[in-house]
Amino acid sequence: MIKLSCCTLAYIVSTPLNEAIKRIANTGYEGVDIYTGPPHLYPAHYSTEERKAVKKLIEKFNLKLTGFAVVGGILGLGINFSHPNKKVRDETLQYYKDNVELASELGCPLINVLTGHVLYGTSREQGRKWTMDNFEELVAFAEKKNVILGLHPQYIGDSPLMLTIDDALQMIKELDSKVVKIIFDTAQQNITYPNFSDDIRKAARYLSYIHAADNDGIHWTHLALGKGTVNWEGLVRVLKEVNYDGCICVQTWSSSPIDADSMIRESKEYIEGILKKVR
């Protein structure tokens, strides 16, 4: 059975982590996905004791910790595996390793993985080589900790390295590891390739998680579910066709103050209606 989770990303502009977890629980979600950037669970900002307190809070509210949403993309331009400055690449790798270590400590099964973006003056080939070299080291570390790395196609910059599901599948083939999977992000896919059904079928073997948000198919926004042009009924239908039994994680957010409580509640009610409708 498909389960519902909600990411604390909805609250990064307005609400500290502990309060965000509480509100997600009070809305009735089964699971919580935590944003691991400031002001939420940024690994460098949390001591061992503070990490234990977060775990206890999640348990107190009877939530399941389903994943980490890492800093990246437009929210973290300095986290980039293909940056021409080696120090930036090294810090990016360390940040991801810190996330894997944190996931292992808290019992989180999965983190999302972004490639970063190729800057002007760096060839796509060079950027991809740097990225894959770092991925190989990250995969070896994640295998030891038994944490899934969910490759997350994303559009950013003029030369994205992992824009499509096909890009992610090629990386999975090269990395050849049981811990490397795919995260399907509806907000990204609705802009880059809205034929969800074909991509879900292609990715089915490796599909580990769904990031769920809506938009108009043109602008990179993360609206409440049902407020844009995403074909949610079609998505749920193909997920059931391929026997997907993982999480749909609501990942609404905005860079300006919003009523996050309403966004996550409306999203939950909407997708629950779709799940009941599609048999």
Side-chain angles (χ1 to χ4, degrees), residues 41-110:
L41 194 58
Y42 189 61
H45 293 171
Y46 279 75
S47 67
T48 299
E49 290 305 312
E50 289 168 330
R51 294 177 181 195
K52 289 179 179 178
V54 171
K55 185 176 182 180
K56 287 181 180 178
L57 184 66
I58 294 169
E59 292 170 350
K60 173 185 174 182
F61 287 114
N62 295 314
L63 289 168
K64 181 178 181 182
L65 181 54
T66 60
F68 284 167
V70 304
V71 178
I74 200 68
L75 293 176
L77 295 176
I79 306 296
N80 187 355
F81 284 112
S82 62
H83 198 282
N85 187 323
K86 187 177 184 300
K87 184 176 181 180
V88 174
R89 300 197 302 273
D90 289 346
E91 289 178 352
T92 299
L93 177 59
Q94 188 59 54
Y95 168 68
Y96 272 90
K97 284 185 173 181
D98 290 346
N99 269 273
V100 169
E101 183 70 46
L102 180 61
S104 179
E105 288 180 29
L106 270 60
C108 179
L110 168 148

Side-chain angles (χ1 to χ4, degrees), residues 57-236:
L57 184 66
I58 294 169
E59 292 170 350
K60 173 185 174 182
F61 287 114
N62 295 314
L63 289 168
K64 181 178 181 182
L65 181 54
T66 60
F68 284 167
V70 304
V71 178
I74 200 68
L75 293 176
L77 295 176
I79 306 296
N80 187 355
F81 284 112
S82 62
H83 198 282
N85 187 323
K86 187 177 184 300
K87 184 176 181 180
V88 174
R89 300 197 302 273
D90 289 346
E91 289 178 352
T92 299
L93 177 59
Q94 188 59 54
Y95 168 68
Y96 272 90
K97 284 185 173 181
D98 290 346
N99 269 273
V100 169
E101 183 70 46
L102 180 61
S104 179
E105 288 180 29
L106 270 60
C108 179
L110 168 148
I111 71 169
N112 75 310
V113 177
L114 308 168
T115 58
H117 56 293
V118 179
L119 297 174
Y120 176 81
T122 298
S123 69
R124 191 176 189 279
E125 292 74 19
Q126 178 64 79
R128 193 178 191 282
K129 184 179 187 309
W130 283 332
T131 295
M132 294 304 290
D133 287 347
N134 280 286
F135 274 11
E136 288 176 3
E137 186 170 342
L138 179 62
V139 166
F141 188 71
E143 286 176 340
K144 293 178 182 177
K145 299 294 181 177
N146 197 30
V147 173
I148 293 171
L149 304 175
L151 300 187
H152 183 298
Q154 183 181 51
Y155 173 77
I156 184 169
D158 293 329
S159 186
L161 293 174
M162 188 168 54
L163 175 64
T164 67
I165 291 295
D166 285 333
D167 292 334
L169 288 171
Q170 180 60 39
M171 289 180 175
I172 286 174
K173 181 179 179 181
E174 293 174 29
L175 292 167
D176 189 25
S177 170
K178 64 181 180 180
V179 302
V180 185
K181 305 291 185 180
I182 287 177
I183 291 177
F184 188 92
D185 187 302
T186 63
Q188 296 293 332
Q189 291 278 148
N190 199 40
I191 294 172
T192 57
Y193 189 68
N195 186 350
F196 290 4
S197 295
D198 282 356
D199 270 1
I200 290 291
R201 292 185 185 107
K202 283 192 291 186
R205 178 182 173 189
Y206 303 102
L207 190 62
S208 61
Y209 210 58
I210 307 294
H211 280 171
D214 219 326
N215 57 38
D216 62 4
I218 300 171
H219 302 96
W220 191 74
T221 56
H222 282 60
L223 304 175
L225 278 57
K227 301 297 184 181
T229 63
V230 168
N231 181 352
W232 294 103
E233 185 173 334
L235 172 67
V236 169

Side-chain angles (χ1 to χ4, degrees), residues 201-274:
R201 292 185 185 107
K202 283 192 291 186
R205 178 182 173 189
Y206 303 102
L207 190 62
S208 61
Y209 210 58
I210 307 294
H211 280 171
D214 219 326
N215 57 38
D216 62 4
I218 300 171
H219 302 96
W220 191 74
T221 56
H222 282 60
L223 304 175
L225 278 57
K227 301 297 184 181
T229 63
V230 168
N231 181 352
W232 294 103
E233 185 173 334
L235 172 67
V236 169
R237 196 172 300 281
V238 74
L239 288 176
K240 291 190 174 185
E241 174 191 315
V242 300
N243 297 314
Y244 177 75
D245 62 356
C247 246
I248 292 178
C249 175
V250 171
Q251 201 186 61
T252 59
W253 76 280
S254 173
S255 59
S256 57
I258 54 171
D259 185 352
D261 292 351
S262 294
M263 287 184 76
I264 69 167
R265 187 177 301 279
E266 290 169 5
S267 295
K268 179 175 179 290
E269 291 172 353
Y270 183 85
I271 196 64
E272 283 178 336
I274 298 295

